[in-house]
Amino acid sequence: MNKKTDFADLEVGYDIPAVPGMDEADIQTPCLILDLDALERNITMMGEYAKAHGMRHRSHGKMHKSVDVQMLQQRLGGAVGVCCQKVSEAEAFARGGIRDILVSNEVRDPVKIDRLARLPKLGSQITVCVDDLANVAELSAAAQKHGTALECLVEIDCGARRCGVMTVEAATEIAKAIDAAPALKFSGIQAYQGAMQHLETYEDRSAKLDVAITLVSDVVAALDAAGLKPEIVSGGGTGSYRFESNSGVYNELQCGSYAFMDADYGRIRDMHGKRIDEVEWENALFILTSVMSNAKLGQAVCDAGLKVQSLDSGLPVVHGRSDVKYINASDEHGVIEDPDGVLRINEKLKLIPGHCDPTCNLHDWYVGVRNGKVEVVWPVSARGKAY
Amino acid sequence: MNKKTDFADLEVGYDIPAVPGMDEADIQTPCLILDLDALERNITMMGEYAKAHGMRHRSHGKMHKSVDVQMLQQRLGGAVGVCCQKVSEAEAFARGGIRDILVSNEVRDPVKIDRLARLPKLGSQITVCVDDLANVAELSAAAQKHGTALECLVEIDCGARRCGVMTVEAATEIAKAIDAAPALKFSGIQAYQGAMQHLETYEDRSAKLDVAITLVSDVVAALDAAGLKPEIVSGGGTGSYRFESNSGVYNELQCGSYAFMDADYGRIRDMHGKRIDEVEWENALFILTSVMSNAKLGQAVCDAGLKVQSLDSGLPVVHGRSDVKYINASDEHGVIEDPDGVLRINEKLKLIPGHCDPTCNLHDWYVGVRNGKVEVVWPVSARGKAY
């Protein structure tokens, strides 16, 4: 894998779209490519931001699902560990050598609780969220059974209307139960406001987060009064991290998308009304695609359809091209509007996906490129790890 | 893998959601499950239909991406082979022992053409579609280089407005070129009307297909006159196969979704106005999901979000339940409307996905169940094979 290989000399059957050392032009499409320079700049910048604001940064691995990207975030960006949403993701990160893992979600299935309680045996510190008193006893019993310890955050619902408690009283009651339970440690609060991350204006996002910050402050005050000062108050995403950093109550960020970016996040605005993909984070993730037909007047067909991207947050944007536009996707094809008929067969385009998280989850590999060459091919370590 | 295993006795780290022999109740969610009885009935019924109508059936592997499901379609349903859309899918099916493979799509990239031309060496007959004269010479050169032979279908655009030629003249010209090219065989016509499969009424679908059938008939007549009678006239999907079967011009069907079904196909109507999931094909594919939170009044949260299903054709439907409804998805969560508060933590629900093809492509495994037990765990052999 480390020497330059001519794809045409390989035997039948390829499970990877590229090998390190090959020219960018020889990558088999469609696949995910990472602009390594842009990725490193994003990661470094977030690390510097967090440090300058006295925040810990726990990078969200649900976005990239990659041990290699996470390692880079820890090495270059000073990330303290990873957060993820599923036990199977935590397993992939623990097996990959990540030593501080937060499952920023509830775990309720008895087998999953059992799996989670075993994970510290691999040498990783495991933290999990709780929003129900009954869950405390389940987690405690499993950790005791395996002779391990689990740290717990009480999850506060900040407006996403999914999991999490909604009152100071419920949060305090659960924190007390965790503190009293054998083999569990009460470590703090999970308060991620997911529903507002993608609102376009800074003011709209700020207003939504003000409500969350008020609730979180009240919970922290009540816990403090009960002798349960939270060590960790964790939350914040690419659309909100400045608010949490300046809240005076959060001390840990959970940004994920900033590292790769996507078309949907690119459209949101900073406090000066500027698009954040122009003034803050660079697009580092692309779907590389090839034109496979230009037989129809005014359009071309490329090889990137529904099966290589999630369209939940809109269509992809063709990077660096204003003359052509991705207008429709079917399972294996994308239709590109090409009014001037400029696209040629096998011409490559870089698509900025609408939504990075579920798009990455469709792929087995990240092809990392720099200066026109493939430098690394990283597995999407936790791809498909949903259970 | 063949004896009953207690999940709780396994060591840390699971890469599969179930093992054969376990109770259905112990399957780790979210994952895909197949009702094997329903699947076998669908496959058998399609086989009987094709036979009774004098049609060959080439089952579409782009839907299931599974060597095991394809083998069942050949054994129980008399399928003559598989069709798929990507060279990497063809590689997976060839390596899995499928001996008759149609890539029902164009292949234009030089490396992909090279890979395709090697595949007959694995013992599989390979057929590919062509819609551009320039592609004929490329395919011929690659097959000659590898000492293999490729069969070619000329693709007609029947209204999907993607690939395929649109005139009798263009089709005839390409067929002649294929016939004259060394190492290529002209085998017939690919004419799949993808854009109409999901129209709800039988009449709307019929009208769309009438246009296609007229064009295909004209092409067949012209080829016949030129001494190039097409052996194969292939097309037809789950929403249209009755039209192709009765056209007098098609002789091969390419149905895929009929085997698993999905919510979108379930809503289309037969000639009597009946939903086809009530009178024709059974739902055999489900996303098994668990309730993980019911803390909010009137709703529950389940563990199946965007990363285990494609929402391009709408939200999933909760199978067999009229009291609860899946109303929203985020990356890892699904919100279930539960007005009467009936859902309990860890309760399992079976979701009928909106669109089977891109949903299957998100998963590593099919868990096949019968009589409450896991009978098989099949890999999604060509999952992620997009290049």
Side-chain angles (χ1 to χ4, degrees):
Chain A
M1 299 264 295
N2 284 315
K3 69 180 183 65
K4 175 156 171 55
T5 309
D6 179 0
F7 243 111
D9 286 331
L10 292 176
E11 266 312 300
V12 162
Y14 305 117
D15 288 312
I16 51 172
V19 287
M22 82 191 320
D23 289 339
E24 190 176 336
D26 292 331
I27 298 169
Q28 290 284 278
T29 65
C31 72
L32 293 183
I33 61 172
L34 291 175
D35 176 336
L36 293 175
D37 285 331
L39 175 65
E40 290 174 4
R41 283 192 293 265
N42 287 342
I43 288 174
T44 302
M45 192 164 87
M46 182 59 89
E48 287 168 355
Y49 175 90
K51 193 172 172 190
H53 289 77
M55 301 290 285
R56 290 154 49 100
H57 180 222
R58 178 181 295 282
S59 40
H60 221 315
K62 80 190 257 295
M63 189 280 283
H64 54 65
K65 287 179 170 266
S66 156
V67 169
D68 296 278
V69 174
Q70 178 61 29
M71 288 288 196
L72 203 65
Q73 288 172 310
Q74 297 184 184
R75 183 166 60 79
L76 279 188
V80 297
V82 73
C83 35
C84 58
Q85 295 285 88
K86 299 283 185 165
V87 174
S88 51
E89 288 178 322
E91 288 167 346
F93 283 117
R95 283 186 268 171
I98 306 299
R99 291 292 159 250
D100 188 340
I101 302 170
L102 163 63
V103 178
S104 47
N105 202 359
E106 280 64 30
V107 179
R108 302 307 303 266
D109 173 74
V111 175
K112 286 196 178 71
I113 292 172
D114 196 80
R115 288 161 53 196
L116 189 77
R118 288 164 196 237
L119 269 186
K121 293 184 183 181
L122 292 187
S124 300
Q125 176 185 306
I126 303 293
T127 309
V128 65
C129 295
V130 180
D131 72 351
D132 183 1
L133 212 51
N135 197 200
V136 175
E138 297 161 355
L139 292 166
S140 173
Q144 288 180 79
K145 174 184 160 196
H146 291 293
T148 59
L150 294 172
E151 301 204 10
C152 297
L153 303 183
V154 176
E155 182 169 16
I156 313 290
D157 182 345
C158 300
R161 295 272 311 157
R162 291 187 312 228
C163 306
V165 299
M166 300 182 75
T167 65
V168 172
E169 294 69 30
T172 310
E173 187 184 15
I174 295 171
K176 285 179 178 169
I178 294 166
D179 185 57
L184 300 186
K185 177 185 169 192
F186 170 70
S187 298
I189 293 170
Q190 163 78 13
Y192 176 71
Q193 218 301 13
M196 55 64 78
Q197 299 292 336
H198 299 266
L199 297 179
E200 191 179 308
T201 77
Y202 187 85
E203 292 70 26
D204 285 349
R205 297 199 304 282
S206 179
K208 287 274 188 190
L209 208 74
D210 281 347
V211 178
I213 288 171
T214 302
L215 175 59
V216 173
S217 301
D218 291 348
V219 171
V220 169
L223 289 169
D224 221 349
L228 289 169
K229 187 176 167 55
E231 261 175 50
I232 297 170
V233 181
S234 196
T238 300
S240 76
Y241 68 98
R242 290 176 187 273
F243 309 127
E244 284 90 355
S245 303
N246 295 317
S247 68
V249 59
Y250 283 83
N251 60 18
E252 185 176 281
L253 298 173
Q254 300 182 347
C255 305
S257 302
Y258 78 98
F260 287 179
M261 285 296 287
D262 58 31
D264 197 42
Y265 261 127
R267 285 184 283 264
I268 73 169
R269 308 280 166 158
D270 77 354
M271 68 184 80
H272 308 295
K274 304 273 192 193
R275 287 173 63 112
I276 71 162
D277 62 357
E278 288 171 2
V279 295
E280 209 159 341
W281 309 110
E282 297 175 56
N283 287 112
L285 175 79
F286 304 94
I287 303 167
L288 190 68
T289 184
S290 300
V291 174
M292 53 182 292
S293 172
N294 58 5
K296 308 279 184 300
L297 203 66
Q299 76 169 43
V301 177
C302 75
D303 61 6
L306 278 174
K307 289 186 184 169
V308 295
Q309 62 188 320
S310 181
L311 299 184
D312 64 278
S313 302
L315 290 170
V317 170
V318 183
H319 180 63
R321 300 283 297 249
S322 55
D323 53 341
V324 298
K325 189 177 175 189
Y326 192 107
I327 55 167
N328 197 19
S330 52
D331 282 8
E332 289 88 6
H333 299 95
V335 178
I336 312 275
E337 193 175 69
D338 178 17
D340 302 324
V342 297
L343 292 175
R344 295 289 159 258
I345 296 292
N346 290 326
E347 182 167 347
K348 292 202 172 135
L349 299 170
K350 291 180 183 177
L351 306 178
I352 304 168
H355 186 183
C356 53
D357 307 50
T359 294
C360 295
N361 184 49
L362 280 157
H363 293 262
D364 290 306
W365 303 101
Y366 293 118
V367 179
V369 299
R370 194 178 337 244
N371 300 327
K373 291 279 186 186
V374 174
E375 185 170 306
V376 295
V377 182
W378 287 332
V380 186
S381 332
R383 190 215 58 73
K385 299 300 183 201
Y387 42 85
Chain B
M1 297 264 297
N2 284 315
K3 69 181 184 62
K4 176 159 169 54
T5 308
D6 179 359
F7 243 113
D9 286 331
L10 292 177
E11 267 311 301
V12 161
Y14 303 118
D15 286 312
I16 50 172
V19 286
M22 81 191 321
D23 289 338
E24 190 176 335
D26 293 330
I27 298 170
Q28 290 285 276
T29 65
C31 72
L32 293 183
I33 61 172
L34 292 175
D35 175 337
L36 293 174
D37 286 331
L39 175 65
E40 290 174 5
R41 283 192 294 266
N42 286 343
I43 289 174
T44 302
M45 193 164 86
M46 182 58 89
E48 286 169 355
Y49 175 89
K51 193 172 172 188
H53 290 76
M55 302 290 284
R56 292 153 48 99
H57 180 221
R58 177 181 296 281
S59 39
H60 221 313
K62 81 189 257 295
M63 188 282 282
H64 54 66
K65 286 178 170 268
S66 156
V67 169
D68 297 278
V69 173
Q70 178 61 30
M71 287 290 197
L72 202 64
Q73 287 172 310
Q74 296 184 186
R75 183 166 59 81
L76 279 189
V80 296
V82 73
C83 34
C84 58
Q85 294 285 87
K86 299 282 185 166
V87 174
S88 51
E89 289 178 322
E91 288 168 346
F93 283 117
R95 283 186 269 170
I98 305 300
R99 293 290 160 249
D100 188 342
I101 302 171
L102 163 63
V103 178
S104 47
N105 201 0
E106 279 65 29
V107 180
R108 301 308 302 267
D109 172 75
V111 176
K112 285 195 179 72
I113 291 172
D114 196 80
R115 287 160 55 196
L116 189 77
R118 289 164 196 237
L119 270 186
K121 294 183 182 181
L122 292 187
S124 298
Q125 176 185 307
I126 303 293
T127 308
V128 64
C129 295
V130 180
D131 72 352
D132 182 1
L133 212 51
N135 197 199
V136 175
E138 297 160 356
L139 292 165
S140 174
Q144 288 180 80
K145 173 183 162 196
H146 291 292
T148 58
L150 295 171
E151 302 203 10
C152 297
L153 304 182
V154 175
E155 181 168 15
I156 314 289
D157 182 346
C158 299
R161 295 272 311 156
R162 290 186 313 228
C163 306
V165 299
M166 300 182 75
T167 65
V168 173
E169 293 68 30
T172 310
E173 188 185 13
I174 295 171
K176 285 180 180 171
I178 294 166
D179 186 57
L184 300 186
K185 178 186 170 192
F186 170 69
S187 298
I189 293 169
Q190 163 78 12
Y192 176 71
Q193 219 302 12
M196 54 65 78
Q197 299 291 335
H198 298 267
L199 297 178
E200 191 178 307
T201 76
Y202 187 86
E203 292 70 25
D204 286 349
R205 297 199 303 282
S206 180
K208 287 274 187 190
L209 208 72
D210 281 347
V211 178
I213 289 170
T214 302
L215 175 59
V216 174
S217 301
D218 290 348
V219 172
V220 170
L223 289 169
D224 221 350
L228 289 169
K229 187 176 166 57
E231 263 175 47
I232 297 170
V233 181
S234 195
T238 300
S240 76
Y241 68 98
R242 290 176 187 274
F243 308 126
E244 285 89 355
S245 302
N246 296 317
S247 67
V249 60
Y250 283 83
N251 60 17
E252 185 175 281
L253 298 173
Q254 300 183 348
C255 305
S257 302
Y258 80 96
F260 288 179
M261 285 296 286
D262 58 31
D264 197 42
Y265 261 126
R267 286 184 281 263
I268 73 169
R269 309 279 167 160
D270 77 354
M271 68 185 79
H272 308 295
K274 304 273 192 192
R275 285 173 63 113
I276 71 163
D277 62 356
E278 288 172 2
V279 295
E280 209 159 342
W281 309 109
E282 297 176 57
N283 287 112
L285 175 79
F286 305 95
I287 303 167
L288 190 68
T289 184
S290 300
V291 174
M292 52 182 291
S293 172
N294 58 6
K296 308 279 183 301
L297 203 66
Q299 76 169 43
V301 177
C302 75
D303 61 6
L306 278 175
K307 288 187 185 169
V308 295
Q309 62 188 320
S310 180
L311 299 184
D312 64 277
S313 302
L315 291 170
V317 170
V318 183
H319 180 65
R321 299 283 295 253
S322 55
D323 54 341
V324 298
K325 189 176 175 189
Y326 192 108
I327 56 167
N328 197 18
S330 51
D331 282 7
E332 288 88 6
H333 299 94
V335 177
I336 312 275
E337 193 176 69
D338 177 18
D340 301 323
V342 297
L343 292 175
R344 296 289 159 257
I345 297 292
N346 290 325
E347 181 167 346
K348 294 206 170 129
L349 298 170
K350 290 181 183 175
L351 306 179
I352 303 169
H355 187 183
C356 53
D357 307 48
T359 295
C360 295
N361 184 50
L362 280 157
H363 293 262
D364 290 305
W365 304 100
Y366 293 118
V367 178
V369 298
R370 191 173 347 239
N371 300 327
K373 291 277 187 187
V374 174
E375 186 170 303
V376 295
V377 182
W378 288 332
V380 186
S381 332
R383 190 214 58 72
K385 300 300 183 201
Y387 41 85

